[in-house]
Amino acid sequence: MGIVAGLDSAPDFTRIVVCDTDTGAVLRQGFAPHPVDGDRPADVDPQAWLLSLGEAAGGGLLEGVQAIGVSAQQNAVVPLDSQGGTVRPAMVGGDKRAQVAAADLIDALGGREAWAQAVGCVPQAAQPVTKLRWLAKNEPDAALRTAMLMQAHDWLVWQLLGRPVRRTTDRGGASGTGYWSAATGNYRSDLVELALGHQAMLPEVIGPSDPAGTTPEGLLISSGTGETMAAAFGLGIGLGDAVVSLGASGSVMAVHREALVDNTGMITSLADATGMHLPVVTTLNAVRTLRGTAELLGLPDLESLSELAMKSTPGAHGLVMLPYLEGERTPNLPHTAGSIAGLRRESMKAEHLARAAFEGMLCGLADALDVLRGRGVEVRRVFLLGAAAELTAVQAAAPMLFGAQVVVPQPADYAAIGAARQAAWALGVSQGTLDPRTPPAWQGASAQMLEPGDDLAVGQAVRQQFVSVREQTHPGAFRP
């Protein structure tokens, strides 16, 4: 029996889990916040990630560990000079400064369809390629000094290995940059030049079970990956599985055998951490819909909103909420607003509005699921993530609206667990005990299973009610 570690460097903290190599059981763990000022700054000195890592690993946490996998926040880009020093702080998160740069890039290549064909996604403000465009326009001296580009997990792996000449990344991380294509498996260096103004060195993309290297002490470091891919790997999702993530905004992703090119830009074609693909569809309005409704009704929290919604019935007495409070990406309605339809005297009760908010949010996510289903992605069960997944009203409505079994995993550090599973895979391959094409079969996440059962027909009727209102209000906007 051996032990491996998974390190997740999230936007706010570092989490480390130490796992049994054979079963995946978590044996011990460490945690430390990132030492940064303010609430999620847009620029972060990457040394803060190393300081947090060191603190999280304190107390002999990594004693006896044979391999480490690294998961890290996506969309962080670290511009380096020719000596490997940081040109400026890393640009992280959903950077609103880069919104104009995203529009510039879309136009520069000839539109959304051109980008979808090139790299499987349309530039958004958060993506590294867009941040490079912002850098070139707003900090031209820093852009000119930028000779190498890395993402957060690339940079951390490189640091753990002692900054070797060879720099690596994985398919999952590369697929989110906006200058690597999951369909072809190649960089588009011309897009780096389009954004930054000149070429830059890029990390070598290695396979899912390939090691990035070994430290002088003999510790194997696996390829690493982005948080989304690591969490999917930690959950153990495979073909036929989709993941619906309930944050302020929502996302739907599923494992698929091939990259999907979507000319509308609704699908972002990512790669996963196993050699498969992970198409993602995003909605701008998920839990923010619930929070807004709770505030409107004077309720203190989402649990109270859920209790109130359960006093209504499916369909909310004909009340339909189109939850496009921040505009919407799916369907592509960036400048619209939310709306409520079906107001009648009998439906004008607080519990019906509460129910309509839950159903509107979930129907919007069901639309995103339909985008993937419409492209041949099989969805037999749906993993539901996020704190709102625990709400009774969500669990009551989700199976019948999604038309599939819904799995609500117990809260756990799935990104860190996924990173540890990757480390175990690379270690097993290096020792000749695992196949490079087959990851270790760890115990799956403990979870609650919810079936649509007899409510499936009711859910279809509620969906149809939502679709009818959406089509009347925004005819032709949604083309799955």
Side-chain angles (χ1 to χ4, degrees):
M1 183 183 75
I3 57 174
V4 292
L7 181 164
D8 177 36
S9 183
D12 300 317
F13 59 82
T14 298
R15 177 89 64 186
I16 301 175
V17 297
V18 176
C19 298
D20 176 84
T21 307
D22 298 323
T23 67
V26 176
L27 305 176
R28 51 187 187 260
Q29 51 191 309
F31 173 88
H34 291 329
V36 296
D37 297 325
D39 183 23
R40 289 203 180 181
D43 295 320
V44 175
D45 182 345
Q47 292 296 327
W49 306 334
L50 281 182
L51 291 170
S52 176
L53 190 166
E55 185 180 344
L61 182 77
L62 299 179
E63 186 175 342
V65 164
Q66 297 168 277
I68 295 178
V70 177
S71 155
Q73 59 180 302
Q74 287 160 242
N75 296 322
V77 61
V78 186
L80 303 173
D81 61 26
S82 57
Q83 304 303 309
T86 51
V87 168
R88 69 178 311 284
M91 303 171 71
V92 302
D95 198 334
K96 291 186 177 180
R97 296 175 300 183
Q99 287 175 340
V100 172
D104 285 348
L105 279 178
I106 292 170
D107 290 343
L109 194 65
R112 298 169 64 87
E113 183 173 344
W115 277 96
Q117 291 288 344
V119 287
C121 63
V122 177
Q124 304 290 331
Q127 282 183 296
V129 70
T130 307
K131 290 169 177 168
L132 296 181
R133 180 72 160 198
W134 181 90
L135 190 65
K137 295 290 185 183
N138 294 275
E139 298 178 9
D141 291 343
L144 198 60
R145 289 171 50 219
T146 298
M148 295 183 277
L149 298 172
M150 302 186 91
Q151 294 183 85
H153 90 262
D154 310 338
W155 188 85
L156 284 166
V157 165
W158 188 52
Q159 296 293 324
L160 289 173
L161 290 171
R163 297 163 56 105
V165 172
R166 183 191 188 214
R167 292 172 298 276
T168 63
T169 189
D170 86 308
R171 296 168 64 256
S175 66
T177 59
Y179 44 81
W180 186 86
S181 167
T184 66
N186 294 314
Y187 280 118
R188 285 289 301 266
S189 55
D190 59 316
L191 299 182
V192 174
E193 186 169 357
L194 181 68
L196 187 62
H198 60 87
Q199 295 286 349
M201 295 179 65
L202 302 169
E204 176 190 348
V205 181
I206 60 177
S209 63
D210 292 340
T214 305
T215 68
E217 299 76 25
L219 189 64
L220 184 144
I221 310 294
S222 63
S223 60
T225 194
E227 265 190 322
T228 297
M229 300 78 187
F233 197 42
L235 280 167
I237 69 168
L239 290 170
D241 293 334
V243 177
V244 171
S245 182
L246 299 175
S249 56
S251 67
V252 176
M253 62 182 177
V255 178
H256 197 50
R257 293 189 185 279
E258 58 189 25
L260 297 180
V261 175
D262 174 56
N263 294 339
T264 69
M266 281 196 293
I267 297 175
T268 298
S269 192
L270 300 178
D272 80 345
T274 72
M276 303 280 274
H277 294 271
L278 202 64
V280 179
V281 181
T282 302
T283 68
L284 294 183
N285 301 279
V287 176
R288 63 165 43 98
T289 304
L290 305 183
R291 295 201 184 283
T293 306
E295 290 174 11
L296 180 66
L297 294 174
L299 298 173
D301 50 42
L302 297 186
E303 288 75 13
S304 302
L305 184 71
S306 175
E307 290 173 11
L308 184 62
M310 292 304 291
K311 295 178 181 178
S312 181
T313 54
H317 275 242
L319 209 58
V320 175
M321 179 184 292
L322 298 182
Y324 306 151
L325 309 185
E326 297 286 324
E328 191 46 86
R329 281 184 61 183
T330 309
N332 185 30
L333 296 165
H335 306 300
T336 194
S339 58
I340 297 173
L343 283 171
R344 299 181 186 275
R345 181 64 190 89
E346 62 269 20
S347 66
M348 296 179 72
K349 294 183 179 179
E351 60 264 33
H352 301 324
L353 180 59
R355 180 84 189 198
F358 281 97
E359 290 179 348
M361 175 190 75
L362 291 169
C363 283
L365 290 160
D367 279 352
L369 271 171
D370 282 351
V371 171
L372 296 178
R373 284 171 166 145
R375 297 298 306 277
V377 177
E378 183 182 13
V379 178
R380 290 194 304 268
R381 59 179 181 169
V382 176
F383 285 73
L384 202 55
L385 303 184
E390 302 290 331
L391 297 173
T392 303
V394 169
Q395 295 189 5
M400 65 179 179
L401 294 178
F402 294 159
Q405 182 189 65
V406 169
V407 182
V408 184
Q410 293 297 312
D413 303 306
Y414 290 111
I417 292 169
R421 189 180 178 205
Q422 186 194 68
W425 193 8
L427 180 66
V429 170
S430 73
Q431 295 173 338
T433 58
L434 288 177
D435 188 310
R437 296 162 298 182
T438 308
W442 280 11
Q443 297 167 350
S446 56
Q448 185 179 3
M449 308 291 186
L450 307 170
E451 301 286 350
D454 296 337
D455 292 333
L456 186 57
V458 176
Q460 290 172 335
V462 174
R463 278 292 314 280
Q464 188 53 53
Q465 180 176 269
F466 177 88
V467 168
S468 296
V469 172
R470 188 195 65 218
E471 283 302 302
Q472 289 168 9
T473 311
H474 305 287
F478 184 67
R479 290 281 181 262

